[in-house]
Amino acid sequence: MLRMTGENRGARAPLLECGSGEYSHNHKTLAPRCCFWLASHVNVRKCVAGVMLLSVLTILFYSYYVTIPLTSLVWRDRIPRPLTQCSLLASQQQAARDHRSDARLRIDAKVLVIVESAYSRLGRDIAELLVANRIRYKIEVAGKSLPVLTTLDKGRYGVIVFESLSKYANMDKWNRELLDKYCREYSVGVVGFATPSEETLVGAQLKGFPLFMHTNLRLKDATLNAASPVLRLARAGETAWGALPGDHWSVFRANSSTYEPIAWALREHDYETDGERMPLATVIQDHGRLDGVQRVLFGSGLQFWLHRLLFLDALSYLSHGQLSLSLDRWILVDIDDIFVGEKGTRLHEEDVAALLTSQAALQRLVPGFRFNLGYSAKYYHHGTPTENLGDDALLKHREYFNWFCHMWNHQQPHLYNNVSQLEAEMMLNKQFALEHGIPTNSCYSVSPHHSGVYPVHEPLYEAWRKVWDVKVTSTEEYPHLRPARLRRGFRHRGVMVLPRQTCGLFTHTLLLERYPGGRHRLDRSIQGGELFQTVINNPINVFMTHMSNYGNDRLALYTFESVVKFLRCWTNVRLASAPPLALAEKYFQLRPDELNPLWGNPCDDIRHRRIWSKSKWCGTLPRLLVIGPQKTGSTALYTFLAMHPTLKPNLPSPSTYEELQFFNNNNYLKGLDWYLNFFPPSLTNNSQITFEKSATYFDGDLVPRRAHALLPNAKIIAILISPSKRAYSWYQHIRSHGDPIANNYTFHTIITANDSAPKQLRDLRNRCLNPGKYSHYLERWLSEYSVHQLHVIDGSMLRSEPAVVMNTLQKFLKISPHIDYNKLLKYDPKKGFFCQVVGGEKTKCLGKSKGRVYPPMEERSAKFLRRYYTPHNTALSKLLVRVGRPVPHWLKDELSANG
Ligand code: A3P
């Protein structure tokens, strides 16, 4: 009979023991006696009563067992023990090699990856690994010529990776010499991968190298060369037993001392001879003694987990430490949510004891480690009597754990639009914490199902701040769940949001033999697979687990102890843990560029839509952005667009009127809700398109990226006039706004200010002149948006022939009905501009701040600016030709005036 642990589990066992041996021996004599007894004692009333009693008992029996998942009825041999087959575990970790060198390097910490085609699998694996480790890289498809390798006297790349070793070896002589020269001059190393070929080579020489290769082998049992100077992240001494992935391995044999193996493996055969037990070099280092170029060559791609470590080490070594990753890895394991779980899957007292024992074991390998327990107190004592003792045991040992609050009833915050309701929920949980002596000062919280964290639900952030002083949270959803390598952190309203990693355990993974995909899958993830790689690739790892992973088969204890041991066994990473607030501070010290969020459209991700308030909407987000620049006629265009029945502008802002200036300044940090409030659903009917105009978007550093993240399908409209005229108009504009510096200096003084001028003057000069460098900014917009989304308006035509401009624009926007603006606009001689026709004959012109009257520009300023803008105008003209757009007359005139 199989054994069950725990008093309660034992008590359930007889239910499955139907039919005892004793009964079967005596049934022949028992049966006639029973029939006789029944016939003499039973009448109809008793029979009915008996049937009713039986029915009630059956209902009770089923209601009890159906509410308890079947897992509680499954007998298990044993709870799995963490993996320990590693002879190195007992030994102390030694200091890892330092690849940094004192040499004066003239290389950028960037990798050039030369791939066979844009779709090759290995190329993609390489790129994904580089992205996961935030290593800068450039991908080039192998072609006739080499990409540019230098900028002035600096090497552009620290390491060059060839996806195909044979492509590298067979490069034409000229390119090869050029590349070798670059590698020698800038001390740049090469990585190459032997890719599977149809032809099986036996002892074939790699062209141009005293190196011989066997290809298409099946291998097993990999080991590392402890003496190899390349090893840093990877730790030698153990054997990765078993078959290596793939049937197309290449191995290297060399007869020169320039080569040194980094890894070996054995041939996999059904019948082994002594010769086949000879280790074969699968990864080899070329010290560069023959031609001055250092190389690391791989006998297979990155499918084998150890190769991922070795590849990162090769980059570190060959770049002289420029591409070395830190060896510190921080781990936080949250248990979300320690009191929430169905009856029959919850913790017993002995599970809590196991949790403490495992925590102590982990602390020996991961200094500072403590399980981080979240709680929704409403579910405290919601288990069977034995499980309730488990809850009590947790509270009894509360000081051994870290604690964080959840929602009182585990409700998703985005379902509450009311801050006070959320506060009340949180207060209940806080009350429970105070009554039971649970610490309330972690400043950390998570939200059920990531609800309200991202996409941001402002009431959640507000309630968190008020009730719990939350400063840190974590989510898997920013910017999206997948791909995991792109998850990032951000800060909103003072709350640091850490990216959370996935460890493969979910609320329903209770038993090892029922693990989705089988035990083998979980073990593979631990032993070099996904979970192992996650820790390698992320300096700070926040994992979420669930209470049920700590009862039942205690899969979380198995998983974390195993992966930590595997990491200790095979790598030199220094594992540690700390409370969430300390980890968040560390994270953003390492990645300050992530502090500012990048808002995406919540409706573009079905998971986001599900955890975003139903009262919010994305349908009215603008599909058209007029980006300026300032003083090119952007207000006139805005007014003309708003006259079209299909187009609707945003509601005005109380401070900046029609311009929201969301993407280019601090309004962006107010969050998406702030922006959306200017586009309420009532603003449009279904067939209308909303648009926004902020003239400072054109030259705002972050604007194209931010705009594209939220509005990837938007149409972008820029208006260009002579940059000199634009600069002068801008000067007049800020003067009339009382800018003290502009009022103190003439236009000529400002535009000709040199770099030794006072800072205020230089700043003003830059603000005045920079937006006119049109090609520079347009290129930045085109790096985010496709050329088909961009429309460039000639601002001088907008002024003189607005109906023609609006006609073309309507076609570009593909909007209907087509409006004849000749009927809507009329030249107003008094204003000197086209104005809106109102009430038949009258006109409504823009205010006096548009179309100002000021003296003409001095000739010396005009001359200076013509020269100043010549290179920019030339670049603009080239850009417009390149993207197939007409070159405006003013641009032709300016270029010919200088030519
Ligand atoms: P000036 O006031 O220097 O003449 P913006 O709206 O982007 O700030 O641009 C203001 C400029 O728009 C004005 O600069 C003016 O020349 C130009 N403009 C073009 N069409 C106009 C119109 N119909 N009414 C008023 N100004 C117009």
Side-chain angles (χ1 to χ4, degrees), residues 629-636 640 729 799 831 833-834 846 849-852 854:
Q630 282 180 294
K631 307 317 292 171
T632 54
S634 61
T635 317
F640 302 161
S729 167
R799 184 177 171 155
K831 177 78 177 171
F833 287 91
F834 276 83
L846 298 185
S849 66
K850 306 292 165 184
R852 284 196 180 88
Y854 40 80

Side-chain angles (χ1 to χ4, degrees), residues 147-298:
V148 180
L149 298 172
T150 53
T151 315
L152 301 173
D153 71 334
K154 206 171 171 212
R156 290 190 177 196
Y157 309 101
V159 178
I160 298 180
V161 177
F162 280 85
E163 183 199 12
S164 162
L165 178 56
S166 79
K167 271 258 154 61
Y168 171 59
N170 290 299
M171 268 168 104
D172 66 63
K173 199 163 166 270
W174 165 260
N175 279 326
R176 185 55 197 284
E177 274 172 12
L178 214 68
L179 183 63
D180 284 357
K181 189 164 175 280
Y182 171 76
C183 289
R184 275 191 294 271
E185 211 166 304
Y186 293 90
S187 275
V188 166
V190 171
V191 174
F193 291 91
T195 43
S197 66
E198 282 179 7
E199 200 187 351
T200 300
L201 306 173
V202 179
Q205 185 169 5
L206 185 68
K207 192 178 163 198
F209 298 91
L211 189 64
F212 302 88
M213 293 169 68
H214 282 248
T215 62
N216 288 340
L217 300 178
R218 279 193 292 135
L219 301 177
K220 63 175 183 182
D221 304 346
T223 47
L224 299 178
N225 174 9
S228 167
V230 175
L231 301 190
R232 179 172 173 273
L233 208 55
R235 185 181 185 204
E238 260 305 315
T239 300
W241 299 107
L244 307 191
D247 301 335
H248 301 282
W249 281 75
S250 297
V251 294
F252 304 97
R253 193 166 50 75
N255 51 12
S256 160
S257 67
T258 191
Y259 295 107
E260 182 182 3
I262 301 174
W264 297 281
L266 300 180
R267 245 187 123 157
E268 200 185 47
H269 261 302
D270 297 342
Y271 306 102
E272 282 180 358
T273 62
D274 277 353
E276 278 152 0
R277 270 186 233 123
M278 275 260 297
L280 303 166
T282 50
V283 184
I284 198 162
Q285 177 188 2
D286 177 351
H287 286 277
R289 289 184 191 124
L290 299 178
D291 61 0
V293 181
Q294 296 220 41
R295 301 176 183 88
V296 173
L297 309 178
F298 287 80

Side-chain angles (χ1 to χ4, degrees), residues 786-804:
S786 95
V787 68
H788 308 290
Q789 290 172 273
L790 176 74
H791 184 70
V792 179
I793 289 178
D794 174 349
S796 63
M797 258 185 91
L798 177 69
R799 184 177 171 155
S800 57
E801 297 175 84
V804 177

Side-chain angles (χ1 to χ4, degrees), residues 34-172:
C34 278
C35 291
F36 175 77
W37 184 86
L38 276 172
S40 57
H41 285 77
V42 171
N43 57 29
V44 176
R45 265 174 53 202
K46 281 185 181 167
C47 204
V48 171
V51 169
M52 282 174 68
L53 184 70
L54 204 65
S55 313
V56 170
L57 285 174
T58 313
I59 290 168
L60 288 175
F61 174 84
Y62 277 104
S63 62
Y64 180 69
Y65 279 104
V66 167
T67 56
I68 293 178
L70 291 176
T71 52
S72 58
L73 297 174
V74 175
W75 290 330
R76 281 166 282 129
D77 250 347
R78 61 189 181 90
I79 285 171
R81 300 269 159 266
L83 307 166
T84 47
Q85 332 87 309
C86 175
S87 57
L88 293 178
L89 264 180
S91 65
Q92 274 297 310
Q93 258 187 325
Q94 299 201 334
R97 286 183 182 84
D98 186 353
H99 288 155
R100 281 171 302 178
S101 95
D102 295 334
R104 205 179 71 82
L105 296 168
R106 289 181 296 142
I107 48 174
D108 200 2
K110 192 171 171 184
V111 180
L112 174 65
V113 185
I114 299 184
V115 293
E116 288 209 86
S117 86
Y119 311 102
S120 60
R121 162 84 199 265
L122 177 56
R124 219 175 43 222
D125 285 352
I126 293 170
E128 287 177 1
L129 187 56
L130 295 174
V131 169
N133 285 283
R134 319 285 169 97
I135 295 174
R136 290 191 302 131
Y137 70 98
K138 180 155 196 246
I139 292 233
E140 289 277 342
V141 177
K144 284 208 172 90
S145 52
L146 277 175
V148 180
L149 298 172
T150 53
T151 315
L152 301 173
D153 71 334
K154 206 171 171 212
R156 290 190 177 196
Y157 309 101
V159 178
I160 298 180
V161 177
F162 280 85
E163 183 199 12
S164 162
L165 178 56
S166 79
K167 271 258 154 61
Y168 171 59
N170 290 299
M171 268 168 104
D172 66 63

Side-chain angles (χ1 to χ4, degrees), residues 563-780:
V563 78
V564 161
K565 285 177 177 169
F566 201 81
L567 283 157
R568 270 294 297 269
C569 191
W570 279 98
T571 75
N572 287 314
V573 294
R574 295 181 289 261
L575 295 169
S577 187
L581 187 55
L583 285 189
E585 276 157 8
K586 223 172 267 300
Y587 184 90
F588 289 106
Q589 260 165 26
L590 283 173
R591 298 186 165 160
D593 53 309
E594 289 184 21
L595 269 170
N596 280 346
L598 195 60
W599 308 125
N601 183 339
C603 300
D604 286 350
D605 183 331
I606 180 82
R607 290 176 59 90
H608 289 175
R609 196 75 196 93
R610 282 196 208 117
I611 52 172
W612 205 42
S613 169
K614 293 271 174 294
S615 68
K616 292 182 193 169
W617 61 99
C618 314
T620 51
L621 274 172
R623 283 192 262 161
L624 174 61
L625 282 186
V626 178
I627 58 172
Q630 282 180 294
K631 307 317 292 171
T632 54
S634 61
T635 317
L637 181 65
Y638 168 89
T639 314
F640 302 161
L641 285 171
M643 289 159 68
H644 197 288
T646 305
L647 300 173
K648 267 280 178 234
N650 49 279
L651 297 181
S653 144
S655 51
T656 48
Y657 313 105
E658 85 269 10
E659 295 207 349
L660 297 181
Q661 298 182 5
F662 175 64
F663 295 106
N664 60 323
N665 70 19
N666 287 339
N667 288 335
Y668 190 77
L669 303 182
K670 291 179 184 160
L672 187 56
D673 282 9
W674 182 90
Y675 190 53
L676 282 172
N677 282 334
F678 294 98
F679 301 95
S682 56
L683 194 66
T684 62
N685 61 42
N686 280 346
S687 57
Q688 282 180 312
I689 295 172
T690 49
F691 73 94
E692 196 225 329
K693 180 280 272 196
S694 292
T696 41
Y697 285 170
F698 181 78
D699 51 307
D701 278 350
L702 302 168
V703 180
R705 203 165 158 241
R706 286 175 169 180
H708 187 261
L710 184 66
L711 313 169
N713 301 316
K715 301 264 168 66
I716 306 297
I717 302 179
I719 315 162
L720 307 181
I721 60 169
S722 151
S724 316
K725 285 189 183 155
R726 197 215 72 84
Y728 191 53
S729 167
W730 186 83
Y731 168 77
Q732 298 297 345
H733 170 75
I734 55 157
R735 252 175 92 91
S736 65
H737 276 75
D739 185 287
I741 306 152
N743 278 326
N744 275 346
Y745 294 99
T746 64
F747 179 61
H748 196 74
T749 314
I750 292 170
I751 58 173
T752 54
N754 61 26
D755 288 344
S756 56
K759 186 173 178 315
Q760 294 175 321
L761 192 56
R762 277 183 285 133
D763 287 348
L764 200 69
R765 175 201 63 190
N766 295 342
R767 285 174 57 212
C768 181
L769 297 180
N770 283 353
K773 299 171 180 172
Y774 297 144
S775 62
H776 170 78
Y777 296 110
L778 284 178
E779 291 289 8
R780 203 156 62 184

